[in-house]
Amino acid sequence: MKASVFIPCSVDQFGAQTGFNLIELLTRVGVEVDYPLEQTCCGKIAYYEGDKDTAKRLGEMFMNNFSAADYIVGCSSSCTSYMKRYFGKLYYNSAYHNTYSNYVNRIFDVTEFLVHVVKKLELGAKFPHTVAFVDDGSSFNDCGLYLEPRLLLQKVEGLKLVKLNSENVSCGFGESFASIFEPVSTHLAKIKIQEAIDKGAEYITSTDMGCLLHLQSYINKAKLNIKCKHIVDILTSNE
């Protein structure tokens, strides 16, 4: 089985080790990994900000860079869900519409890929900590990503997964939402983090780097005793 890895901007700039761990994780389960060297932003932020021309240009670059991929596997679920959900609208009735249609079933968040394609839950990870999982709102609402990361975390040796009552409450990130509506964004982060602390969590994890960066920023500012860690980093942990 072959897969090309997509490393989103947030991971490339703020969590490069997660990108390396993604490659390690896929290799560990027998996937032959390819990394298209010319890959860049998928265009998600431009699309959400209304700059459709830039979003189209970046999307076309993405499709050209990954044209030979059997599977495209990413480690930031808001990006993979954006492409699966909105490329169809972006390229509707255009020369790239048929090209996009060939990509829909090949783009996966890594947790989807492991559960539904590789069909492997036990990855040999060890992480003896109490962990709260935070859903990325866009991938949950647009693509129904919910059960997959939880199934994988439940198989990590030593990990205790706690359920948050605020599962259906946004973490407050949402790209520019966090800056335009900063008080609301900050309050939502506070709700999510405080509940995780109240449930005894030592770590907060997610499939989306943007969510984790947002939450970790609040944690750092408030000097709270909890940390954020990407799910890929937990699934490759050997503590």
Side-chain angles (χ1 to χ4, degrees):
M1 184 183 299
K2 298 180 180 179
S4 293
V5 294
F6 168 54
I7 307 298
C9 307
S10 57
V11 175
D12 178 61
Q13 295 296 314
F14 300 105
Q17 187 58 51
T18 299
F20 288 111
N21 287 343
L22 172 63
I23 294 171
E24 178 188 336
L25 182 59
L26 293 174
T27 302
R28 183 184 296 180
V29 295
V31 176
E32 184 179 336
V33 177
D34 170 65
Y35 178 81
L37 295 177
E38 301 301 318
Q39 65 177 280
T40 183
C41 178
C42 64
K44 175 188 68 175
I45 295 177
Y47 181 87
Y48 289 156
E49 295 303 310
D51 187 354
K52 301 297 178 60
D53 290 338
T54 298
K56 283 183 179 179
R57 177 174 56 82
L58 292 171
E60 289 165 12
M61 289 175 61
F62 176 89
M63 287 187 280
N64 290 334
N65 287 326
F66 286 89
S67 61
D70 293 335
Y71 297 99
I72 303 164
V73 182
C75 54
S76 201
S77 56
S78 63
C79 294
T80 54
S81 64
Y82 154 72
M83 290 185 283
K84 293 168 76 168
R85 177 71 174 82
Y86 293 105
F87 266 16
K89 293 183 177 181
L90 192 61
Y91 296 110
Y92 179 73
N93 202 28
S94 74
Y96 270 87
H97 182 72
N98 290 334
T99 302
Y100 160 73
S101 299
N102 294 326
Y103 280 80
V104 177
N105 296 324
R106 290 190 282 153
I107 300 173
F108 292 88
D109 173 71
V110 61
T111 62
E112 295 177 298
F113 186 71
L114 290 170
V115 173
H116 299 301
V117 180
V118 178
K119 298 183 179 180
K120 190 174 179 65
L121 300 181
E122 295 187 10
L123 305 170
K126 298 178 182 180
F127 195 70
H129 300 283
T130 303
V131 176
F133 182 81
V134 171
D135 293 285
D136 161 54
S138 58
S139 58
F140 174 75
N141 292 320
D142 292 336
C143 296
L145 183 67
Y146 177 83
L147 189 59
E148 293 86 349
R150 290 169 171 83
L151 289 173
L152 293 166
L153 289 171
Q154 288 168 357
K155 294 296 184 180
V156 175
E157 184 177 336
L159 187 149
K160 179 183 178 182
L161 184 64
V162 296
K163 180 179 175 63
L164 299 181
N165 297 325
S166 61
E167 281 185 349
N168 62 344
V169 177
S170 169
C171 73
F173 177 52
E175 280 73 44
S176 62
F177 178 89
S179 56
I180 297 174
F181 301 101
E182 183 179 356
V184 178
S185 175
T186 301
H187 184 66
L188 290 170
K190 179 181 179 180
I191 292 173
K192 192 74 69 174
I193 294 165
Q194 190 58 56
E195 187 187 358
I197 292 173
D198 292 344
K199 290 289 183 73
E202 303 165 77
Y203 287 87
I204 293 174
T205 192
S206 177
T207 54
D208 191 72
M209 183 62 79
C211 293
L212 294 173
L213 290 170
H214 171 64
L215 294 173
Q216 188 65 58
S217 176
Y218 182 91
I219 289 168
N220 292 345
K221 187 173 182 179
K223 298 180 180 179
L224 301 174
N225 188 28
I226 193 169
K227 298 177 182 178
C228 292
K229 196 175 187 70
H230 196 285
I231 190 171
V232 165
D233 301 325
I234 291 178
L235 296 177
T236 52
S237 177
N238 191 31
E239 286 193 21

